[in-house]
Amino acid sequence: SQQGEEDPQALSIQEGENATMNCSYKTSINNLQWYRQNSGRGLVHLILIRSNEREKHSGRLRVTLDTSKKSSSLLITASRAADTASYFCATDGGGATNKLIFGTGTLLAVQP
Amino acid sequence: DGGITQSPKYLFRKEGQNVTLSCEQNLNHDAMYWYRQDPGQGLRLIYYSQIVNDFQKGDIAEGYSVSREKKESFPLTVTSAQKNPTAFYLCASSIGSGTGGGWTDTQYFGPGTRLTVL
């Protein structure tokens, strides 16, 4: 079963603009991760935020987490054409395993 | 180079045939995973293994089988019992130390195998 849903499903912006995508999940979590997937390729880990953290930064990425609303957002600032990819959130479902539950993804297209 | 490899990149199968997808990692990770991805969708967990000689079913294990005889290898067999096997298959690995520790490992993914049933 899929825990998370990303919103929007697809997003098209111009280079230099900021891109924001959101993730909602259903159950309590220990942490939430964001991954990126270029077309036809494997996923690449971007950032992990723990349930006791509210915001985290990594380069041009900013992730927020609101556990009361069971939601997270990923902001990519000053986007580039190379940021074009699908972005997925993944949660651990709060369990004591290493299983991740992936959302449905946001397809981001950055126009040059 | 450390990493996780999958082969082949593209695989074509006739209906009724079993096929095995290879996944190898040299990251010294304990945990390995198999996911299925259908067009425009997220990843669904097929099987996972947290240690050699042990594995558990994921959400969509029917029609699939795995083995974990070596730490480095976690092959997936798509059997003829899998009704709709055409999909993109992704293998991943993680350190495996997060279990029960209140956090979950980062997963490292292979490049994927695209399976098409003719």
Side-chain angles (χ1 to χ4, degrees), chain B residues 49-105:
Chain B
S49 167
Q50 301 206 68
I51 198 165
V52 174
N53 292 323
D54 186 49
F55 48 83
Q56 288 80 40
K57 293 181 179 180
D59 299 319
I60 56 165
E62 185 175 349
Y64 299 98
S65 66
V66 293
S67 62
R68 187 84 188 278
E69 297 176 2
K70 298 187 300 182
K71 188 175 185 176
E72 302 79 16
S73 178
F74 191 39
L76 173 74
T77 297
V78 184
T79 75
S80 57
Q82 168 50 233
K83 291 183 173 26
N84 185 19
T86 295
F88 189 49
Y89 290 87
L90 286 159
C91 179
S93 70
S94 70
I95 292 174
S97 56
T99 304
W103 56 278
T104 306
D105 293 335

Side-chain angles (χ1 to χ4, degrees), chain A residues 48-103:
Chain A
L48 179 152
I49 186 166
R50 304 196 190 287
S51 59
N52 61 353
E53 297 176 312
R54 291 296 167 257
E55 188 170 311
K56 203 159 183 182
H57 297 254
S58 176
R60 294 184 295 113
L61 305 181
R62 173 179 162 245
V63 168
T64 61
L65 179 64
D66 186 336
T67 53
S68 67
K69 295 181 179 177
K70 292 187 170 59
S71 68
S72 174
S73 68
L74 171 67
L75 168 68
I76 304 174
T77 60
S79 62
R80 305 166 182 167
D83 294 328
T84 295
S86 291
Y87 292 83
F88 295 91
C89 67
T91 62
D92 60 1
T97 73
N98 266 314
K99 289 198 301 180
L100 288 177
I101 307 169
F102 285 84

Side-chain angles (χ1 to χ4, degrees), chain A residues 11-38:
Chain A
L11 179 61
S12 181
I13 59 174
Q14 298 294 124
E15 258 190 330
E17 293 180 339
N18 295 343
T20 299
M21 47 207 95
N22 305 295
C23 167
S24 59
Y25 56 91
K26 297 174 185 171
T27 65
S28 62
I29 62 171
N30 294 314
N31 63 55
L32 184 145
Q33 302 181 38
W34 284 91
Y35 287 80
R36 163 196 169 121
Q37 182 182 34
N38 287 77

Side-chain angles (χ1 to χ4, degrees), chain B residues 2 12 19 33-34 41 55 74 91 109 112-113 115:
Chain B
F12 298 89
V19 289
Y33 314 81
W34 273 106
Q41 297 191 30
F55 48 83
F74 191 39
C91 179
F109 283 81
T113 293
L115 173 64

